[in-house]
Amino acid sequence: MTVPPPQLELHPLHIPAHVDDADAADFREMTHVRNIVYREITGSDDNDLRPDELLPHYRPAPDEIRLIWVARWNGRIVGRAALDLPLEQGSDTGVWLIELLAEVHGHGIGTAAYAVIEGAAREHGRRTLQSYAEHPNAPGPRIAAPTGFGDIPLDRRARFFLRQGYELQQIERKSALDLRAASATVDRLLDEARAASGGYRVVQWTAPTPAEHVDGYAWLKSRMSTDAPAGGMAIDEEAWDAARVQRHDARYLEAGQTLFITAAQHIATGELVAFNELMIGSDRSRATFQEDTLVSAAHRGHRLGLLVKCAALVAWRDIAPASPRVITYNAEENRPMLDINERIGFAPLSYEGAWQKVLDAVTDGAGTAGSSATSGS
């Protein structure tokens, strides 16, 4: 059994009803620490969120259980640990993170937090644990992905995963696009995509999703879990319906974030067959995030990926004209999507490792401090 150091407390984070409530102090401080951790990892404030932007994404939902703990060192919050448990039928996966301020590295906090995470996963009957970590470039030994695409440095994060029995399964590329510099290229490529995509038209909306597009959008979202390259990661097939789309959209709306969807519609059938999402917070002078993008397998070969990406970027000029860049993530082996991104002007920023461990057994109550696991609510 791993015994936490005496200076360390790990306890479930209370999720308040509102960020300005009296019981929201820990949530606000967790958000502040989260932002510092991301700045330390990435060297930028692109990932900063306000507490009111983060809170809606931690409200209880029927699609997953979200567990979150805060780490206190000598009475001060210095990080967080979290475990997401998908509730798809038959799921045995759990996706986790541990984020700590650099100043407290080396005190065993991460090891103690991971023991809590694995114990909670076992209590919930999960056998496959996964985590994603950004690995900024660094000199020294490297680890290659088993996909044959890309490698990452054998850094502190990688060594932690290896000590816990994890295997690197895939590498994702984090890329950024300078929106102003890419303007002329985007216009030219949109013309090219339109010329190659006869029989399709572009439809666009800002969340909430209009009723006429809910079913098509739900189907495309479900295909993200089956059609996107996943390397050796075990991925649950997600079930999406109108109610799940409504919950998905509502989180962004409550957070004051703008979610903009661009889809390609097959004119002959009316089906939505490709889509792209762009998202930005209430401050539209900050970075934009490109979230899901997919072209359904039956409609590939018509430049629909290029079509929805470029049409979205053109429309984005009116939605967030002051946003300086778009950030996106793609599997390093997803050459068709990377080809599109590179043509548009996306350039690599860093690389993220996808790590996975299959537990040898799952027994009720196993694992250190597992009994402290509670839902994020």
Side-chain angles (χ1 to χ4, degrees), residues 216-271:
Y217 184 41
W219 183 81
L220 287 170
K221 292 290 284 186
S222 74
R223 294 307 87 198
M224 281 297 302
S225 62
T226 61
D227 294 5
M233 301 290 275
I235 304 296
D236 298 318
E237 182 173 356
E238 294 182 354
W240 282 74
D241 57 14
R244 187 164 183 173
V245 168
Q246 184 179 32
R247 291 192 298 272
H248 166 266
D249 291 355
R251 285 192 290 271
Y252 290 96
L253 291 170
E254 184 185 349
Q257 297 166 324
T258 297
L259 180 67
F260 182 65
I261 298 93
T262 297
Q265 185 177 46
H266 187 224
I267 295 171
T269 63
E271 295 177 355

Side-chain angles (χ1 to χ4, degrees), residues 101-154:
L101 295 173
E103 67 187 78
V104 298
H105 291 171
H107 293 292
I109 300 174
T111 300
Y114 179 73
V116 171
I117 287 171
E118 187 166 310
R122 289 178 181 273
E123 285 187 347
H124 285 83
R126 303 306 168 109
R127 184 167 180 263
T128 304
L129 297 184
Q130 301 169 340
S131 189
Y132 298 80
E134 190 163 331
H135 298 269
N137 197 28
R142 304 185 71 82
I143 306 175
T147 60
F149 294 87
D151 56 28
I152 56 170
L154 183 60

